[in-house]
Amino acid sequence: MSTIPHLVGMIHLGPLPGSPGFEGSIDTVLGLALDDATKLSQAGFPALMVENFGDAPFFPDSVPPETVAAMTRAVDAITMATGLPIGVNVLRNDAMSALAIAAVTGAAMIRVNVYTGVMYTDQGPIVGRAAELLRKRAQLGAGTEVWADVLVKHATPPPGFDLRQSAEDTVKRGHADAVIISGPGTGSSPDLDRLKNVRDAIGPDARLVVGSGATPDNLEGLVAVADTVIVGSYTKQAGVATNPVDPGRAEEMVDAARSCGLL
């Protein structure tokens, strides 16, 4: 990307076709997503990330083709409506589909929950496939960045897991463009000492992203260590990830970002 987005707003898609919660209208899902994207854009968010948050329970890796098709429509529509850099996260860990969607739609980055190593999740053990992903990116000629989680939320590391070594390997051996650190679950803030530990491990030149739990109150402390913050739950009505975007809360987040020099 020519410009690094330092603040990224989340578009949590509702249940898509084929998922248990789908209510029969993809146009309704897209309409709600476009409404959220417009509110975040108008509030001043410089970039957005789209994920199939409503599709739980998630597949551990490859999602069905109808999910890829629906997400491609969503990413393309949001890109056209806002003109902002867009990221793609295909839950739980379908990095190949995320890359394909990004390559077709021109999305700027993808988020990969388990990029290197292994994590134990409610979908079972998930193994990173960095080698396959970067070779596919080269084959497609895509300029898409890979933002990789380390110690991803809603997951448990294997015995002997070393956070510093994992973070360093993600950058130096996995060649990720950015490392993401989150709290233990959706909307949970990362431990600041853990964030500092990862920064020390990957060095000042590697990009460090906060993946959950940012609020106007804790933002200054987070950006003293991290380069970019992804914000989802706080911008929603009552701070609940599945609710629509609250324009007032979105504006509060942007104002806080400007106050601490993030924007």
Side-chain angles (χ1 to χ4, degrees), residues 28 34 65 190 194-195 199 208:
T28 297
L34 285 170
R194 176 178 291 172
L195 199 64
R199 166 57 78 198
L208 182 58

CSV table of all heavy atoms in Angstrom, one decimal, residues 28 34 65 190 194-195 199 208:
chain,number,residue,atom,x,y,z
A,28,THR,N,-30.1,-7.5,1.8
A,28,THR,CA,-30.3,-7.0,3.2
A,28,THR,C,-28.9,-6.9,3.9
A,28,THR,O,-28.5,-5.9,4.5
A,28,THR,CB,-31.3,-7.8,4.0
A,28,THR,OG1,-32.6,-7.7,3.4
A,28,THR,CG2,-31.4,-7.2,5.4
A,34,LEU,N,-23.1,-1.7,3.9
A,34,LEU,CA,-22.8,-0.4,3.3
A,34,LEU,C,-23.2,0.7,4.2
A,34,LEU,O,-22.5,1.8,4.2
A,34,LEU,CB,-23.6,-0.3,2.0
A,34,LEU,CG,-23.1,-1.1,0.8
A,34,LEU,CD1,-24.0,-1.2,-0.4
A,34,LEU,CD2,-21.7,-0.5,0.3
A,65,PRO,N,-17.8,-22.0,-1.6
A,65,PRO,CA,-17.8,-21.0,-2.6
A,65,PRO,C,-18.8,-19.9,-2.5
A,65,PRO,O,-18.6,-18.8,-2.9
A,65,PRO,CB,-18.0,-21.8,-3.9
A,65,PRO,CG,-18.5,-23.1,-3.5
A,65,PRO,CD,-18.0,-23.4,-2.2
A,190,PRO,N,-5.7,-5.8,24.3
A,190,PRO,CA,-4.4,-6.6,24.6
A,190,PRO,C,-3.7,-6.1,25.8
A,190,PRO,O,-3.8,-4.9,26.2
A,190,PRO,CB,-3.6,-6.3,23.3
A,190,PRO,CG,-4.1,-5.0,22.8
A,190,PRO,CD,-5.5,-4.9,23.2
A,194,ARG,N,2.4,-7.2,27.0
A,194,ARG,CA,2.5,-8.2,25.9
A,194,ARG,C,2.8,-7.4,24.6
A,194,ARG,O,3.6,-7.8,23.8
A,194,ARG,CB,1.3,-9.0,25.8
A,194,ARG,CG,1.3,-10.0,24.6
A,194,ARG,CD,0.0,-10.8,24.6
A,194,ARG,NE,0.0,-11.7,25.7
A,194,ARG,CZ,-1.1,-12.5,26.0
A,194,ARG,NH1,-2.2,-12.3,25.3
A,194,ARG,NH2,-1.1,-13.3,27.0
A,195,LEU,N,2.1,-6.3,24.4
A,195,LEU,CA,2.3,-5.5,23.2
A,195,LEU,C,3.7,-5.0,23.2
A,195,LEU,O,4.4,-5.1,22.1
A,195,LEU,CB,1.3,-4.4,23.3
A,195,LEU,CG,1.0,-3.7,21.9
A,195,LEU,CD1,0.3,-4.6,20.9
A,195,LEU,CD2,0.1,-2.5,22.2
A,199,ARG,N,6.7,-5.7,20.4
A,199,ARG,CA,7.4,-4.6,19.7
A,199,ARG,C,8.9,-4.8,19.9
A,199,ARG,O,9.7,-4.7,18.9
A,199,ARG,CB,7.0,-3.3,20.3
A,199,ARG,CG,7.9,-2.1,20.0
A,199,ARG,CD,8.0,-1.9,18.5
A,199,ARG,NE,6.8,-1.3,17.9
A,199,ARG,CZ,6.5,-1.3,16.6
A,199,ARG,NH1,7.2,-2.0,15.7
A,199,ARG,NH2,5.4,-0.7,16.2
A,208,LEU,N,3.3,-3.0,13.7
A,208,LEU,CA,2.6,-3.7,14.8
A,208,LEU,C,1.2,-3.1,14.9
A,208,LEU,O,1.0,-1.9,14.9
A,208,LEU,CB,3.3,-3.5,16.2
A,208,LEU,CG,2.7,-4.1,17.4
A,208,LEU,CD1,2.6,-5.6,17.2
A,208,LEU,CD2,3.5,-3.8,18.6
